[in-house]
Amino acid sequence: MPASDSGPLVWTEDLSVRFGGRSVLNHVDVAVHPGEVVTLIGPNGAGKTTLVRAVLGLVRPSGGHVRRRPGLRVGYMPQRLTVDATLPLTVRRFLALWRPVPAERIETALEEAGVARLADSAVQTVSGGEMQRVLLARALLSDPDLLVLDEPDQAVDVHGQAELFARIEHVRRHRGCGILLVSHDLHTVMARTDRVVCMNGHVCCHGRPEDVSRHPEYHALFGRHAAELAVYVHHHDHAHDESRKIVDGHDGDCCHG
C-alpha cells in the first residue's frame, strides 16, 4: 500500500510473529491513518502488545511486513513507568532525561497534557492519573505523527480516565496525529475510538465500534452483555480543578441522567 497524504501512517501486511515454537500473531492486517483513533481489544495473550511492539520496530516479524511512512515520527506511552522513590526528580527533569529538550517544549507538552502545574513537583508525589498525563507529555515531545498508547488508562480511576482521554482527544484534534491505542476498558473504547480491532492471535473482527459490538466474534470473546456497554458517548463541557470542583464550562452539577 503506497504512503500518501491521504494514506496510512503505518500499516501491517499479513503480519505474523512467533516466539520460539509459539505463534502469537497470525496474518494481521491493521492500518492507522492521520487523525484517527484505532483501538486494539482482546483477552490477555491476544497479541495486542506484541502488535504494538512490532509497529514500534521492537519485534521482528516471522512473516509479513510492517510498513511506515518515510520519516514517520512516533510518540510512545507505556502502560506504566516506575521511578525510584529515592531519586530527587521533578516532572520537568524527568521529561528531559531521554534527550536534550528546550524548556519551552517541555512547558508546551505539559500544558497540552493538562499537567503544567506539576512541572516542579517531585515525580513520586503525583497521582496515578497525573503520571499518565505526564507520560503523555513525554510522548508529545517527539512531535509525533503517530501516538502509540499501551493501556494508558490502566490503574487510573474513572475521573482520571475521563481527564486523560479528553486530553488525548484534544491532541488528536489539535495535531491531527493518528493514535494506536490498546485498552481493556470496553466502555471507554467504544465511546472514544473511530475503529476497533478485536484480536485473539489474529484479527477476529474490525470496524466502527457500533458494528464490532454486534459481531459474533466480539460476543464470543466478551459475551453478549458487552454489547450493552457499547456505544455510549458522554461529553463533559467543563473541567475540574485538583479538588474536582468545576472550574469552567458551566455552573451546577457535573452531569446527571
Side-chain angles (χ1 to χ4, degrees):
M1 184 182 298
S4 64
D5 289 343
S6 59
L9 298 166
V10 63
W11 63 102
T12 66
E13 297 175 343
D14 201 31
L15 178 69
S16 297
V17 175
R18 298 180 65 87
F19 294 137
R22 185 170 64 93
S23 178
V24 180
L25 293 177
N26 290 291
H27 310 294
V28 173
D29 294 318
V30 172
V32 184
H33 290 75
E36 75 167 346
V37 180
V38 176
T39 303
L40 308 177
I41 64 173
N44 289 334
K48 303 182 298 295
T49 295
T50 298
L51 177 56
V52 164
R53 289 174 62 82
V55 166
L56 293 172
L58 301 176
V59 169
R60 179 177 296 180
S62 305
H65 303 279
V66 177
R67 310 289 192 188
R68 304 176 187 86
R69 280 195 186 187
L72 181 72
R73 297 186 302 272
V74 179
Y76 173 58
M77 181 176 167
Q79 291 182 14
R80 67 176 68 86
L81 199 155
T82 303
V83 179
D84 192 313
T86 64
L87 288 176
L89 199 62
T90 65
V91 167
R92 191 192 312 275
R93 289 185 61 196
F94 169 77
L95 293 182
L97 283 178
W98 285 267
R99 67 175 73 90
V101 183
E104 59 271 18
R105 286 191 59 196
I106 291 178
E107 299 295 335
T108 298
L110 287 171
E111 183 71 34
E112 198 167 358
V115 285
R117 69 185 185 281
L118 299 176
D120 296 313
S121 300
V123 171
Q124 296 85 355
T125 66
V126 304
S127 70
E130 289 169 339
M131 188 61 188
Q132 292 304 94
R133 281 185 276 160
V134 169
L135 292 177
L136 175 61
R138 175 176 172 259
L140 294 176
L141 288 175
S142 60
D143 192 21
D145 306 304
L146 173 70
L147 267 178
V148 179
L149 312 177
D150 192 357
E151 297 194 47
D153 52 347
Q154 190 174 78
V156 179
D157 64 21
V158 173
H159 171 77
Q161 288 181 11
E163 294 285 351
L164 175 62
F165 278 97
R167 290 295 169 175
I168 292 171
E169 176 64 16
H170 170 78
V171 168
R172 185 261 288 262
R173 293 185 180 277
H174 177 68
R175 293 177 175 253
C177 57
I179 297 175
L180 179 62
L181 172 69
V182 177
S183 180
H184 279 104
D185 188 332
L186 297 180
H187 191 211
T188 298
V189 164
M190 294 302 181
R192 297 183 179 272
T193 192
D194 299 310
R195 286 195 297 121
V196 176
V197 179
C198 185
M199 298 181 60
N200 195 13
H202 62 283
V203 176
C204 301
C205 55
H206 65 92
R208 297 178 304 171
E210 57 268 32
D211 295 331
V212 168
S213 68
R214 293 192 291 264
H215 198 284
E217 292 273 10
Y218 176 85
H219 294 160
L221 285 177
F222 300 108
R224 290 188 175 275
H225 71 281
E228 299 172 5
L229 295 176
V231 176
Y232 166 69
V233 181
H234 177 71
H235 298 286
H236 280 281
D237 58 357
H238 57 274
H240 300 259
D241 63 13
E242 294 182 34
S243 64
R244 301 190 178 182
K245 293 180 180 179
I246 297 172
V247 294
D248 61 41
H250 64 76
D251 297 323
D253 294 336
C254 174
C255 53
H256 60 85

